Amino acid sequence: MSIPPTPSTSTVPIMRHHSYYILAGDVTIRVENYIFRIHKYFLLRESAYFRLRLSTPTLPGQDPPGSSDTNPLVLDDATSDAFACFLWVFYNPRYSVYNAGADQWSSILDLAQRWGFGDVEQLCVRELERLDLCPVDRIHIYQRFNLDHTLLLDCYESLITRDEPIGVEEGAKLGLRTTLQISRAREMSRGSYMGGDRSLSAMQLRGPDLRLLISDIFQLPRTHTNGAAYTGPLTTPLDHSNRVDRALALPAVSNADCSPLLRVLMIISITLCRRPPRCKRLLDVAPQRVAAILSNSASRQTE
């Protein structure tokens, strides 16, 4: 007796996918009414879910699931459009150039998290970071997929410092908790952080103080403005437009061979670099004085 077809196969014809039925592929997968034939290497390399699905023991004489069009591996937890979008990551003809919008990356990210593709998830986050999204949409996506909330610090700050309050539609996207947190930050940033009278019309907190308030309200790790971990009072670079501390990118060097005098001069130079702008004149002449001292020191050692 033959097994009667399922309702989906009896009413909707099964078709090979126009883009991802690859003759050289070695595994066949059915999603909805489409047959995909792809290279299982991409699935086995990263996903424990697919390693388990594709290694299911079979009875003697039976072919494993995914061996042919008539015996495909069936995925019930995805749509054919979403699966095709997911496969595009591996079969992108433009190599590392990925041109997609927030909806496409959200669809890919959903399957990557569901099936345990960690590298694909990191790719989605990296590409989402490159997109020009409004703060509400970015917060909505990152909260939906439980991504790193420290990446939302700029979005929170934008919504807190703008003149317009959170609208009804924005609040629906953000959720009740986030909306209340932003409203609280908007109120506290327009008055004394430690209490007292507050003015709702003018911002009282800016820069690192505002970010400290945001970190406290949203329970984020306290960070410096250059992204380094918080170890004390917040500080900002002298150039406020430069959000990256260039010193963090420099390789570590050993000063074991430096003379005591040179070590002292290095400490003085570093200290002057961290002084407020009023020390700029002193900082400008410091290199010449350091060079003169070193020259005199070298002369004495020669004598």
Side-chain angles (χ1 to χ4, degrees):
M1 177 182 296
S2 61
I3 299 177
T6 61
S8 59
T9 57
S10 62
T11 57
V12 181
I14 303 299
M15 300 176 291
R16 294 179 174 180
H17 195 271
H18 60 280
S19 297
Y20 296 111
Y21 190 93
I22 303 171
L23 295 178
D26 55 2
V27 65
T28 304
I29 298 176
R30 180 166 70 85
V31 184
E32 294 181 325
N33 62 314
Y34 284 96
I35 296 291
F36 297 80
R37 186 170 181 84
I38 59 175
H39 300 87
K40 63 182 178 183
Y41 164 78
F42 297 115
L43 307 180
L44 300 178
R45 177 182 61 182
E46 195 174 344
S47 172
Y49 170 82
F50 279 105
R51 287 195 292 270
L52 178 63
R53 290 291 305 271
L54 292 173
S55 63
T56 302
T58 57
L59 297 175
Q62 285 187 341
D63 294 327
S67 57
S68 65
D69 288 12
T70 57
N71 186 28
L73 176 69
V74 180
L75 299 180
D76 295 323
D77 54 350
T79 66
S80 57
D81 288 341
F83 189 59
C85 192
F86 182 80
L87 293 178
W88 168 74
V89 170
F90 306 109
Y91 291 103
N92 177 17
R94 301 189 63 188
Y95 300 104
S96 61
V97 179
Y98 295 98
N99 292 324
D103 291 339
Q104 288 79 12
W105 287 119
S106 296
S107 175
I108 297 170
L109 180 57
D110 180 36
L111 296 183
Q113 290 186 338
R114 186 178 306 177
W115 294 334
F117 285 82
D119 289 343
V120 177
E121 180 178 354
Q122 293 180 14
L123 170 67
C124 293
V125 175
R126 186 168 68 247
E127 294 299 321
L128 284 170
E129 283 289 291
R130 294 177 179 177
L131 296 180
D132 184 17
L133 301 176
C134 74
V136 173
D137 288 341
R138 187 176 297 279
I139 293 173
H140 173 70
I141 293 173
Y142 284 40
Q143 288 182 338
R144 174 188 170 189
F145 295 105
N146 196 28
L147 302 181
D148 185 0
H149 285 193
T150 60
L151 298 174
L152 297 175
L153 195 56
D154 288 336
C155 296
Y156 293 143
E157 183 175 356
S158 176
L159 294 176
I160 291 167
T161 57
R162 75 180 193 183
D163 294 334
E164 302 80 10
I166 300 299
V168 176
E169 294 183 359
E170 292 176 325
K173 272 191 173 183
L174 294 172
L176 178 61
R177 179 183 177 86
T178 302
T179 301
L180 292 176
Q181 288 173 315
I182 292 175
S183 298
R184 182 186 177 201
R186 285 176 58 86
E187 178 185 357
M188 297 184 69
S189 63
R190 286 161 171 77
S192 173
Y193 179 52
M194 302 302 297
D197 297 334
R198 296 187 174 94
S199 171
L200 299 181
S201 58
M203 290 291 299
Q204 301 296 321
L205 294 181
R206 297 282 186 181
D209 291 332
L210 176 59
R211 294 205 158 205
L212 177 59
L213 171 64
I214 295 173
S215 297
D216 288 344
I217 291 179
F218 288 91
Q219 299 178 345
L220 303 175
R222 295 183 178 183
T223 58
H224 292 278
T225 54
N226 56 19
Y230 176 85
T231 57
L234 292 175
T235 57
T236 57
L238 294 179
D239 182 3
H240 296 280
S241 64
N242 185 359
R243 306 291 290 276
V244 179
D245 189 347
R246 298 289 189 251
L248 294 178
L250 296 177
V253 295
S254 173
N255 61 359
D257 299 329
C258 295
S259 66
L261 176 60
L262 182 56
R263 294 183 189 179
V264 173
L265 293 175
M266 290 169 59
I267 295 173
I268 294 174
S269 298
I270 294 173
T271 303
L272 289 174
C273 289
R274 294 182 177 179
R275 294 292 92 188
R278 63 177 177 271
C279 295
K280 185 177 185 302
R281 182 182 177 186
L282 180 59
L283 181 59
D284 289 338
V285 300
Q288 291 84 351
R289 294 187 179 180
V290 170
I293 294 173
L294 289 177
S295 178
N296 294 335
S297 175
S299 300
R300 293 194 188 101
Q301 291 178 1
T302 301
E303 295 173 355

Short mmCIF file of all heavy atoms in Angstrom, two decimals, residues 2-44:
data_model
loop_
_atom_site.label_atom_id
_atom_site.label_comp_id
_atom_site.label_asym_id
_atom_site.label_seq_id
_atom_site.Cartn_x
_atom_site.Cartn_y
_atom_site.Cartn_z
N SER A 2 0.59 2.15 -0.92
CA SER A 2 1.37 3.38 -0.98
C SER A 2 0.88 4.37 0.07
O SER A 2 -0.28 4.38 0.45
CB SER A 2 1.24 4.01 -2.38
OG SER A 2 -0.11 4.33 -2.64
N ILE A 3 1.83 5.21 0.53
CA ILE A 3 1.49 6.22 1.53
C ILE A 3 0.82 7.39 0.83
O ILE A 3 1.33 7.92 -0.15
CB ILE A 3 2.77 6.70 2.24
CG1 ILE A 3 3.42 5.51 2.95
CG2 ILE A 3 2.46 7.79 3.23
CD1 ILE A 3 4.72 5.86 3.62
N PRO A 4 -0.38 7.77 1.29
CA PRO A 4 -1.06 8.89 0.64
C PRO A 4 -0.27 10.17 0.81
O PRO A 4 0.39 10.39 1.83
CB PRO A 4 -2.40 8.97 1.40
CG PRO A 4 -2.13 8.34 2.72
CD PRO A 4 -1.12 7.24 2.45
N PRO A 5 -0.27 11.02 -0.20
CA PRO A 5 0.47 12.28 -0.11
C PRO A 5 -0.12 13.19 0.94
O PRO A 5 -1.31 13.11 1.27
CB PRO A 5 0.33 12.86 -1.52
CG PRO A 5 -0.93 12.27 -2.05
CD PRO A 5 -1.01 10.89 -1.46
N THR A 6 0.73 14.04 1.49
CA THR A 6 0.24 15.02 2.46
C THR A 6 -0.60 16.05 1.73
O THR A 6 -0.49 16.23 0.51
CB THR A 6 1.43 15.73 3.14
OG1 THR A 6 2.19 16.39 2.14
CG2 THR A 6 2.32 14.73 3.87
N PRO A 7 -1.47 16.76 2.46
CA PRO A 7 -2.32 17.77 1.80
C PRO A 7 -1.52 18.81 1.04
O PRO A 7 -1.94 19.26 -0.02
CB PRO A 7 -3.08 18.39 2.99
CG PRO A 7 -3.08 17.33 4.05
CD PRO A 7 -1.79 16.59 3.88
N SER A 8 -0.35 19.20 1.56
CA SER A 8 0.41 20.25 0.88
C SER A 8 0.92 19.77 -0.47
O SER A 8 0.91 20.51 -1.45
CB SER A 8 1.58 20.72 1.75
OG SER A 8 2.44 19.63 2.02
N THR A 9 1.37 18.49 -0.56
CA THR A 9 1.89 18.00 -1.82
C THR A 9 0.79 17.62 -2.79
O THR A 9 1.02 17.54 -3.98
CB THR A 9 2.78 16.78 -1.57
OG1 THR A 9 2.03 15.77 -0.87
CG2 THR A 9 4.00 17.15 -0.71
N SER A 10 -0.41 17.38 -2.26
CA SER A 10 -1.50 16.99 -3.16
C SER A 10 -2.15 18.19 -3.83
O SER A 10 -2.79 18.05 -4.86
CB SER A 10 -2.56 16.20 -2.38
OG SER A 10 -3.11 17.01 -1.35
N THR A 11 -2.00 19.38 -3.22
CA THR A 11 -2.65 20.57 -3.77
C THR A 11 -1.66 21.53 -4.43
O THR A 11 -2.05 22.31 -5.28
CB THR A 11 -3.42 21.31 -2.67
OG1 THR A 11 -2.50 21.64 -1.62
CG2 THR A 11 -4.52 20.44 -2.09
N VAL A 12 -0.39 21.50 -4.00
CA VAL A 12 0.60 22.42 -4.53
C VAL A 12 1.70 21.61 -5.21
O VAL A 12 2.27 20.72 -4.59
CB VAL A 12 1.21 23.30 -3.40
CG1 VAL A 12 2.24 24.26 -3.98
CG2 VAL A 12 0.11 24.06 -2.68
N PRO A 13 2.02 21.90 -6.45
CA PRO A 13 3.07 21.14 -7.13
C PRO A 13 4.44 21.41 -6.53
O PRO A 13 4.75 22.53 -6.13
CB PRO A 13 2.98 21.65 -8.58
CG PRO A 13 2.37 23.00 -8.48
CD PRO A 13 1.42 22.93 -7.33
N ILE A 14 5.25 20.37 -6.44
CA ILE A 14 6.62 20.50 -5.94
C ILE A 14 7.50 20.92 -7.10
O ILE A 14 7.52 20.28 -8.16
CB ILE A 14 7.11 19.17 -5.34
CG1 ILE A 14 6.16 18.73 -4.22
CG2 ILE A 14 8.52 19.33 -4.81
CD1 ILE A 14 6.07 19.70 -3.07
N MET A 15 8.27 21.99 -6.90
CA MET A 15 9.10 22.54 -7.97
C MET A 15 10.54 22.70 -7.49
O MET A 15 10.78 22.91 -6.29
CB MET A 15 8.56 23.90 -8.42
CG MET A 15 7.15 23.88 -8.97
SD MET A 15 6.57 25.56 -9.37
CE MET A 15 6.43 26.23 -7.70
N ARG A 16 11.45 22.59 -8.41
CA ARG A 16 12.84 22.89 -8.11
C ARG A 16 13.02 24.40 -8.03
O ARG A 16 12.49 25.14 -8.87
CB ARG A 16 13.76 22.32 -9.20
CG ARG A 16 13.77 20.79 -9.23
CD ARG A 16 14.67 20.29 -10.35
NE ARG A 16 14.81 18.84 -10.33
CZ ARG A 16 15.54 18.13 -11.18
NH1 ARG A 16 16.22 18.77 -12.16
NH2 ARG A 16 15.62 16.82 -11.08
N HIS A 17 13.76 24.82 -7.03
CA HIS A 17 13.97 26.25 -6.87
C HIS A 17 14.79 26.80 -8.03
O HIS A 17 15.78 26.18 -8.45
CB HIS A 17 14.67 26.56 -5.55
CG HIS A 17 14.60 27.99 -5.14
ND1 HIS A 17 15.55 28.92 -5.52
CD2 HIS A 17 13.67 28.68 -4.41
CE1 HIS A 17 15.22 30.11 -5.03
NE2 HIS A 17 14.09 29.99 -4.34
N HIS A 18 14.38 27.95 -8.55
CA HIS A 18 15.00 28.48 -9.76
C HIS A 18 16.43 28.94 -9.54
O HIS A 18 17.22 29.01 -10.50
CB HIS A 18 14.16 29.66 -10.29
CG HIS A 18 14.03 30.79 -9.31
ND1 HIS A 18 13.13 30.76 -8.27
CD2 HIS A 18 14.69 31.98 -9.20
CE1 HIS A 18 13.22 31.88 -7.57
NE2 HIS A 18 14.16 32.63 -8.12
N SER A 19 16.81 29.27 -8.31
CA SER A 19 18.17 29.77 -8.05
C SER A 19 19.05 28.77 -7.32
O SER A 19 20.27 28.74 -7.54
CB SER A 19 18.11 31.07 -7.24
OG SER A 19 17.45 32.10 -7.95
N TYR A 20 18.45 27.98 -6.48
CA TYR A 20 19.26 27.13 -5.61
C TYR A 20 18.94 25.64 -5.78
O TYR A 20 18.91 24.89 -4.81
CB TYR A 20 19.09 27.56 -4.15
CG TYR A 20 19.60 28.97 -3.92
CD1 TYR A 20 18.72 30.00 -3.62
CD2 TYR A 20 20.96 29.26 -4.02
CE1 TYR A 20 19.18 31.29 -3.42
CE2 TYR A 20 21.43 30.54 -3.84
CZ TYR A 20 20.54 31.56 -3.54
OH TYR A 20 21.01 32.84 -3.36
N TYR A 21 18.74 25.23 -7.02
CA TYR A 21 18.80 23.81 -7.34
C TYR A 21 20.07 23.64 -8.16
O TYR A 21 20.10 23.86 -9.39
CB TYR A 21 17.57 23.34 -8.12
CG TYR A 21 17.53 21.83 -8.24
CD1 TYR A 21 16.85 21.07 -7.31
CD2 TYR A 21 18.21 21.17 -9.26
CE1 TYR A 21 16.82 19.68 -7.39
CE2 TYR A 21 18.20 19.79 -9.36
CZ TYR A 21 17.50 19.04 -8.41
OH TYR A 21 17.49 17.67 -8.50
N ILE A 22 21.14 23.26 -7.47
CA ILE A 22 22.47 23.18 -8.07
C ILE A 22 22.77 21.72 -8.37
O ILE A 22 22.81 20.89 -7.45
CB ILE A 22 23.52 23.78 -7.11
CG1 ILE A 22 23.14 25.23 -6.77
CG2 ILE A 22 24.91 23.72 -7.72
CD1 ILE A 22 23.97 25.84 -5.67
N LEU A 23 22.98 21.41 -9.63
CA LEU A 23 23.19 20.02 -10.04
C LEU A 23 24.40 19.40 -9.34
O LEU A 23 24.41 18.20 -9.05
CB LEU A 23 23.35 19.93 -11.56
CG LEU A 23 22.11 20.32 -12.38
CD1 LEU A 23 22.42 20.23 -13.88
CD2 LEU A 23 20.93 19.42 -12.03
N ALA A 24 25.40 20.21 -9.06
CA ALA A 24 26.60 19.69 -8.39
C ALA A 24 26.42 19.56 -6.88
O ALA A 24 27.34 19.11 -6.19
CB ALA A 24 27.80 20.59 -8.68
N GLY A 25 25.25 19.95 -6.36
CA GLY A 25 25.02 19.84 -4.93
C GLY A 25 24.92 18.39 -4.48
O GLY A 25 24.71 17.48 -5.29
N ASP A 26 25.05 18.18 -3.19
CA ASP A 26 25.04 16.81 -2.67
C ASP A 26 24.00 16.58 -1.59
O ASP A 26 24.02 15.56 -0.90
CB ASP A 26 26.43 16.44 -2.14
CG ASP A 26 26.95 17.42 -1.11
OD1 ASP A 26 26.23 18.38 -0.76
OD2 ASP A 26 28.09 17.24 -0.65
N VAL A 27 23.08 17.51 -1.40
CA VAL A 27 21.97 17.29 -0.47
C VAL A 27 20.74 18.00 -1.01
O VAL A 27 20.82 19.10 -1.57
CB VAL A 27 22.32 17.80 0.95
CG1 VAL A 27 22.50 19.31 0.98
CG2 VAL A 27 21.25 17.38 1.95
N THR A 28 19.60 17.35 -0.87
CA THR A 28 18.33 17.89 -1.36
C THR A 28 17.45 18.22 -0.17
O THR A 28 17.27 17.40 0.74
CB THR A 28 17.61 16.87 -2.26
OG1 THR A 28 18.48 16.49 -3.33
CG2 THR A 28 16.34 17.47 -2.84
N ILE A 29 16.91 19.42 -0.18
CA ILE A 29 16.10 19.91 0.94
C ILE A 29 14.79 20.46 0.39
O ILE A 29 14.79 21.17 -0.63
CB ILE A 29 16.85 21.01 1.72
CG1 ILE A 29 18.14 20.44 2.33
CG2 ILE A 29 15.97 21.62 2.80
CD1 ILE A 29 19.00 21.47 3.03
N ARG A 30 13.70 20.11 1.06
CA ARG A 30 12.40 20.65 0.65
C ARG A 30 11.91 21.62 1.70
O ARG A 30 11.84 21.30 2.89
CB ARG A 30 11.37 19.55 0.45
CG ARG A 30 10.01 20.12 0.01
CD ARG A 30 9.09 19.02 -0.52
NE ARG A 30 8.63 18.13 0.53
CZ ARG A 30 7.57 18.37 1.32
NH1 ARG A 30 6.89 19.49 1.18
NH2 ARG A 30 7.21 17.49 2.22
N VAL A 31 11.58 22.81 1.25
CA VAL A 31 10.99 23.84 2.11
C VAL A 31 9.72 24.31 1.42
O VAL A 31 9.78 24.81 0.29
CB VAL A 31 11.95 25.02 2.33
CG1 VAL A 31 11.34 26.02 3.30
CG2 VAL A 31 13.30 24.54 2.83
N GLU A 32 8.59 24.12 2.09
CA GLU A 32 7.28 24.35 1.48
C GLU A 32 7.19 23.51 0.20
O GLU A 32 7.39 22.29 0.25
CB GLU A 32 7.07 25.85 1.24
CG GLU A 32 6.99 26.64 2.55
CD GLU A 32 6.75 28.12 2.34
OE1 GLU A 32 7.26 28.69 1.35
OE2 GLU A 32 6.05 28.72 3.18
N ASN A 33 6.91 24.12 -0.93
CA ASN A 33 6.76 23.34 -2.16
C ASN A 33 7.96 23.48 -3.10
O ASN A 33 7.85 23.24 -4.30
CB ASN A 33 5.48 23.76 -2.90
CG ASN A 33 5.51 25.21 -3.34
OD1 ASN A 33 5.87 26.08 -2.55
ND2 ASN A 33 5.14 25.49 -4.58
N TYR A 34 9.11 23.85 -2.54
CA TYR A 34 10.31 24.01 -3.36
C TYR A 34 11.39 23.02 -2.94
O TYR A 34 11.59 22.76 -1.74
CB TYR A 34 10.87 25.44 -3.25
CG TYR A 34 10.09 26.45 -4.04
CD1 TYR A 34 9.09 27.23 -3.44
CD2 TYR A 34 10.34 26.64 -5.40
CE1 TYR A 34 8.37 28.16 -4.17
CE2 TYR A 34 9.62 27.56 -6.14
CZ TYR A 34 8.64 28.31 -5.53
OH TYR A 34 7.92 29.23 -6.26
N ILE A 35 12.06 22.48 -3.93
CA ILE A 35 13.19 21.59 -3.72
C ILE A 35 14.48 22.37 -3.95
O ILE A 35 14.68 22.99 -4.99
CB ILE A 35 13.15 20.38 -4.68
CG1 ILE A 35 11.91 19.52 -4.40
CG2 ILE A 35 14.41 19.55 -4.56
CD1 ILE A 35 11.97 18.78 -3.07
N PHE A 36 15.34 22.33 -2.95
CA PHE A 36 16.66 22.96 -3.03
C PHE A 36 17.72 21.85 -3.10
O PHE A 36 17.63 20.87 -2.36
CB PHE A 36 16.94 23.83 -1.81
CG PHE A 36 16.01 25.00 -1.64
CD1 PHE A 36 14.73 24.84 -1.09
CD2 PHE A 36 16.41 26.29 -2.01
CE1 PHE A 36 13.89 25.92 -0.92
CE2 PHE A 36 15.56 27.37 -1.84
CZ PHE A 36 14.30 27.19 -1.31
N ARG A 37 18.69 22.02 -3.98
CA ARG A 37 19.82 21.11 -4.03
C ARG A 37 21.08 21.94 -3.87
O ARG A 37 21.41 22.77 -4.73
CB ARG A 37 19.85 20.32 -5.34
CG ARG A 37 20.94 19.23 -5.35
CD ARG A 37 20.78 18.31 -6.55
NE ARG A 37 21.82 17.28 -6.55
CZ ARG A 37 21.74 16.14 -5.86
NH1 ARG A 37 20.67 15.90 -5.11
NH2 ARG A 37 22.72 15.26 -5.91
N ILE A 38 21.77 21.74 -2.76
CA ILE A 38 22.90 22.59 -2.41
C ILE A 38 24.05 21.72 -1.91
O ILE A 38 23.96 20.48 -1.89
CB ILE A 38 22.51 23.61 -1.32
CG1 ILE A 38 22.01 22.88 -0.07
CG2 ILE A 38 21.45 24.56 -1.84
CD1 ILE A 38 21.72 23.78 1.11
N HIS A 39 25.12 22.36 -1.49
CA HIS A 39 26.28 21.66 -0.94
C HIS A 39 26.14 21.61 0.58
O HIS A 39 26.11 22.66 1.24
CB HIS A 39 27.58 22.38 -1.33
CG HIS A 39 27.78 22.46 -2.81
ND1 HIS A 39 27.25 23.48 -3.58
CD2 HIS A 39 28.44 21.63 -3.66
CE1 HIS A 39 27.59 23.29 -4.85
NE2 HIS A 39 28.31 22.18 -4.93
N LYS A 40 26.08 20.41 1.12
CA LYS A 40 25.85 20.27 2.56
C LYS A 40 27.05 20.71 3.39
O LYS A 40 26.93 20.87 4.61
CB LYS A 40 25.48 18.84 2.90
CG LYS A 40 26.55 17.81 2.61
CD LYS A 40 26.05 16.41 2.95
CE LYS A 40 27.09 15.34 2.62
NZ LYS A 40 26.57 13.97 2.89
N TYR A 41 28.17 20.92 2.75
CA TYR A 41 29.36 21.39 3.47
C TYR A 41 29.05 22.66 4.27
O TYR A 41 29.46 22.80 5.42
CB TYR A 41 30.50 21.65 2.49
CG TYR A 41 31.63 22.47 3.06
CD1 TYR A 41 32.57 21.90 3.91
CD2 TYR A 41 31.74 23.84 2.77
CE1 TYR A 41 33.60 22.66 4.45
CE2 TYR A 41 32.77 24.60 3.30
CZ TYR A 41 33.69 24.01 4.15
OH TYR A 41 34.70 24.76 4.68
N PHE A 42 28.31 23.59 3.66
CA PHE A 42 28.01 24.85 4.33
C PHE A 42 27.14 24.62 5.57
O PHE A 42 27.24 25.38 6.54
CB PHE A 42 27.29 25.80 3.37
CG PHE A 42 28.12 26.19 2.18
CD1 PHE A 42 27.75 25.82 0.91
CD2 PHE A 42 29.28 26.93 2.34
CE1 PHE A 42 28.51 26.17 -0.19
CE2 PHE A 42 30.05 27.30 1.24
CZ PHE A 42 29.68 26.91 -0.02
N LEU A 43 26.31 23.60 5.52
CA LEU A 43 25.43 23.32 6.65
C LEU A 43 26.16 22.57 7.76
O LEU A 43 25.99 22.87 8.95
CB LEU A 43 24.22 22.51 6.18
CG LEU A 43 23.42 23.09 5.01
CD1 LEU A 43 22.27 22.17 4.66
CD2 LEU A 43 22.92 24.49 5.34
N LEU A 44 26.97 21.60 7.38
CA LEU A 44 27.67 20.77 8.36
C LEU A 44 28.80 21.52 9.04
O LEU A 44 29.14 21.25 10.19
CB LEU A 44 28.22 19.51 7.70
CG LEU A 44 27.19 18.58 7.04
CD1 LEU A 44 27.90 17.40 6.37
CD2 LEU A 44 26.17 18.10 8.04
#
